[in-house]
Amino acid sequence: MRRSRQLSGGLLLAALVAVSCPPVAGSTPPPPRPDEGDLQAQRELAGDRAGQVGALTQRLAEAETRLDELGAGVEVAMEEANKARVDMTRAERAHSRAEQLAHGAGDQATAAATEVERQRERLDRFAAGSYRQGSRIGSLTAFAGARGPEELLNRAELLDIVSRDQLDVLDDLERARIERVNKDSLARQALQDAAAKRAAADAARGRAEAAQSAAIAARAGQAGSAQRLAAERDGAQAELRQARSTVQGMEGQKDRYQEWLDAREAEQQAQAQAAQAAQAASRPAPTGDSGGSDDSDDSDDAAPAGVETVVQRAMSQLGMPYAWGGGDEDGPTQGIRDGGVADSYGDYRKTGFDCSGLMVYAFAAAGVELDHYSGYQYKAGEQVPLSSMQRGDMLFWRSSGSVHHVALYLGNGKMVEAPYSGSQVRVAPVRYDGIAPYAVRMF
């Protein structure tokens, strides 16, 4: 009788469990499960697009720097052209004044020469008259009617004075003609000099205007190049956003599928426990107790979960700029000065990660604290041979025995890293040149 009551109770409990926990076949259908290969391909595509955006951004920065330089060159060329135009205007004015002076001097010289010839003709007529009278000082009629020797001498002296005055006038006019001729010669020389300067100024203006046109054309060409690079970069950024959106969507699907798996597993466990309880209720109480627990499965599950958490957090920073000294447990930080290469790239003005900073941020998501130094990170966990490396292991590179770089292994020969100044966080094939002999496993 007691046995039948136990069986009845067990059957009742099983029935209640069956009602409260319907079989798995009747559960919610599974959501779409993204193919892992497709998801990895999208991650790699996002990494490639991030690298492309970084390279285009660098090229655009260089193009814009060159554009600024050419802009300054245009300003200089325009000022030189303005100077050449002013010099040309001055040369033309000087040439015009020289022409006026030359014409005036020529007219004065011509007038002086005409006056000299007129006075020379008067002198010739005077001399000819004196010669016909047999005297060098004038006609004999000039002495006729003299009332005495004294008057005769006075008339002779007067004629001599008149003759000397004529000769003095002739000398003055000759000197004036020579002076005018000299002035005319100087004026013409000045005209030639002004013409030469005008020609030189005109040539200089032509060269300056040509240089200005060349500078403007060069800047316009560079501006076009910068615009094309900007458009190409914007297109790559749009593709990067699309790739990241696709990755996020696929990862969301993966998370939902995992949630469904977890729910199904919990449902199965609940059904199994209910069945076990029903069976236990239907059996007599055992006389002894034995058993144990094995945490190895839970530990294995926790390890893959930790690996995926670390990987996903590192992958979430694809495209983030490299900044030497940047990155902590909470995310990207401003870089610091190194007094060398990093400073030349302006890392201290950027917000981002360096290689070890990215590892600090990624592993913090799984509760693992790492020092911000790749040398210490190489000794932070279990060192395993490269031949045994697994997804989520850290890979290191050494030079002269010292560790200088670290990356996170993704599997399938790929890794995520913050490589060097001027670049961004990216996915890249594993480089074996200089790689350390051991990977470091934290789970």
Side-chain angles (χ1 to χ4, degrees):
M1 186 68 177
R2 182 179 179 185
R3 176 67 174 172
S4 68
R5 284 199 300 269
Q6 289 176 341
L7 288 173
S8 298
L11 291 174
L12 179 60
L13 179 60
L16 291 173
V17 169
V19 172
S20 61
C21 298
V24 175
S27 300
T28 304
R33 179 184 182 183
D35 182 78
E36 191 64 32
D38 292 342
L39 178 56
Q40 183 60 30
Q42 287 298 324
R43 289 169 179 162
E44 293 176 359
L45 176 62
D48 292 342
R49 290 295 179 268
Q52 184 181 5
V53 169
L56 288 171
T57 300
Q58 181 66 27
R59 290 175 58 195
L60 179 59
E62 294 172 353
E64 289 176 342
T65 298
R66 177 61 178 156
L67 185 61
D68 291 340
E69 294 174 350
L70 290 174
V74 168
E75 293 175 357
V76 171
M78 292 178 68
E79 284 303 300
E80 289 296 326
N82 287 337
K83 176 182 179 297
R85 294 187 188 102
V86 171
D87 291 344
M88 181 61 192
T89 300
R90 291 179 176 179
E92 287 177 341
R93 290 174 180 171
H95 183 267
S96 178
R97 289 194 298 270
E99 280 185 330
Q100 293 174 359
L101 291 174
H103 289 313
D107 293 342
Q108 291 176 356
T110 300
T114 300
E115 182 63 20
V116 167
E117 290 301 322
R118 189 177 68 81
Q119 294 298 333
R120 189 190 302 279
E121 290 176 358
R122 290 178 58 197
L123 181 62
D124 288 344
R125 288 196 299 271
F126 178 78
S130 298
Y131 177 77
R132 285 193 298 270
Q133 296 297 327
S135 171
R136 69 175 180 83
I137 60 173
S139 174
L140 290 177
T141 56
F143 299 97
R147 290 188 292 271
E150 183 176 357
E151 185 178 353
L152 180 62
L153 290 174
N154 289 336
R155 289 187 180 185
E157 183 178 0
L158 175 62
L159 290 174
D160 186 54
I161 290 172
V162 171
S163 178
R164 287 200 307 271
D165 288 343
Q166 290 287 340
L167 293 176
D168 291 340
V169 169
L170 183 60
D171 290 340
D172 291 342
L173 289 175
E174 183 65 17
R175 282 193 298 272
R177 187 187 70 81
I178 292 172
E179 183 178 357
R180 298 304 181 194
V181 170
N182 289 337
K183 288 183 178 181
D184 179 58
S185 177
L186 292 174
R188 293 187 182 279
Q189 183 61 46
L191 179 61
Q192 293 176 358
D193 293 343
K197 290 180 180 179
R198 184 179 65 173
D202 188 46
R205 182 185 64 177
R207 291 192 298 271
E209 290 177 349
Q212 174 186 340
S213 299
I216 293 174
R219 188 183 186 282
Q222 187 66 27
S225 177
Q227 290 175 352
R228 289 190 295 273
L229 281 172
E232 189 175 353
R233 181 203 59 185
D234 293 344
Q237 286 178 332
E239 292 179 358
L240 173 60
R241 288 192 295 270
Q242 179 60 41
R244 285 178 172 172
S245 177
T246 301
V247 169
Q248 290 174 354
M250 295 179 71
E251 288 176 344
Q253 288 181 354
K254 182 179 178 182
D255 291 341
R256 289 190 293 273
Y257 183 79
Q258 186 61 46
E259 291 172 358
W260 180 86
L261 286 178
D262 293 342
R264 187 182 70 167
E265 183 179 357
E267 185 178 355
Q268 289 173 340
Q269 289 177 354
Q271 289 177 354
Q273 290 173 358
Q276 290 174 357
Q279 291 176 359
S282 66
R283 291 196 301 268
T287 58
D289 188 16
S290 64
S293 62
D294 187 358
D295 295 335
S296 62
D297 291 340
D298 293 339
S299 176
D300 290 342
D301 291 341
V307 167
E308 290 307 311
T309 299
V310 170
V311 169
Q312 295 308 318
R313 202 176 207 202
M315 293 293 290
S316 71
Q317 299 303 307
L318 290 176
M320 181 63 64
Y322 181 98
W324 189 78
D328 60 16
E329 294 86 351
D330 298 322
T333 63
Q334 189 169 2
I336 60 178
R337 290 183 178 272
D338 74 336
V341 174
D343 287 0
S344 69
Y345 281 91
D347 284 13
Y348 59 90
R349 295 192 300 266
K350 298 177 181 177
T351 298
F353 293 98
D354 63 7
C355 62
S356 55
L358 181 62
M359 297 301 104
V360 170
Y361 176 68
F363 279 91
V368 177
E369 294 184 6
L370 292 175
D371 291 310
H372 195 150
Y373 171 52
S374 58
Y376 291 155
Q377 292 175 0
Y378 188 53
K379 301 176 181 179
E382 178 188 2
Q383 292 188 339
V384 297
L386 288 178
S387 59
S388 302
M389 63 184 178
Q390 297 177 1
R391 181 175 172 86
D393 291 347
M394 286 187 287
L395 306 178
F396 296 84
W397 284 259
R398 299 190 305 184
S399 177
S400 301
S402 298
V403 173
H404 62 82
H405 186 57
V406 59
L408 184 67
Y409 184 56
L410 301 175
N412 298 320
K414 299 288 187 178
M415 62 183 183
V416 58
E417 63 174 347
Y420 46 77
S421 293
S423 64
Q424 299 81 31
V425 176
R426 67 182 185 182
V427 172
V430 174
R431 298 183 300 276
Y432 289 93
D433 184 23
I435 195 169
Y438 296 100
V440 174
R441 185 168 299 162
M442 301 302 298
F443 300 101

